[in-house]
Amino acid sequence: LRERFREEAGVSLGHFVRSVRLVRATHLLRETNAGVGTIAKKCGFGAFTTFSRAFAQVYGMSPSEYRKVTSGNE
């Protein structure tokens, strides 16, 4: 499955799943008041640090910073 997915999608299955989880996290950060730890769990991350690290790698800021920037309360 992994090989076939990479061939067809051009990206590994793991990276695709992580991307989907992070996109969902951005939505929850913008649209809810849920805590960042709660959002990490809702998006399938087993540990807050794993979520925070992955988020920062993709978006260049922490989840809390993202929330502040997107809410207009910079």
Side-chain angles (χ1 to χ4, degrees), residues 27-36 38-39 42 67 71:
H27 172 77
L28 293 172
L29 287 165
R30 285 190 318 270
E31 304 296 328
T32 72
N33 291 323
V36 176
T38 300
I39 290 172
K42 285 185 176 188
R67 176 175 267 167
S71 70

Side-chain angles (χ1 to χ4, degrees), residues 3-32:
E3 287 179 34
R4 180 65 184 251
F5 189 89
R6 182 183 288 277
E7 289 173 7
E8 296 294 323
V11 65
S12 74
L13 181 58
H15 280 108
F16 176 77
V17 170
R18 184 178 81 160
S19 295
V20 170
R21 289 175 174 169
L22 290 172
V23 167
R24 181 168 185 236
T26 61
H27 172 77
L28 293 172
L29 287 165
R30 285 190 318 270
E31 304 296 328
T32 72

